[in-house]
Amino acid sequence: MTCETTFQFLQHTSPIEAGDCTEAAWASDNPGYNADAIPAARLKKVQVAIGPAC
């Protein structure tokens, strides 16, 4: 009852200062996405975007 989804958690804990952007999505919506790539590529289908730089 008191658990929150990962997306809800990100909305409460992500930085929201100028220049910040946190995006999250389902892996199944972004086939072929390399989560280990540096720098990270932009997601194609974003479920949640937090921050003014998004």
Side-chain angles (χ1 to χ4, degrees):
M1 291 179 86
T2 60
C3 295
E4 61 183 356
T5 67
T6 300
F7 294 154
Q8 290 170 327
F9 178 77
L10 286 173
Q11 289 175 319
H12 296 288
T13 60
S14 296
I16 54 170
E17 304 298 321
D20 290 331
C21 177
T22 301
E23 294 181 336
W26 297 111
S28 59
D29 286 345
N30 292 278
Y33 184 82
N34 181 358
D36 297 320
I38 298 173
R42 296 296 301 258
L43 296 164
K44 293 179 181 170
K45 292 189 178 179
V46 176
Q47 296 297 317
V48 64
I50 304 117
C54 292

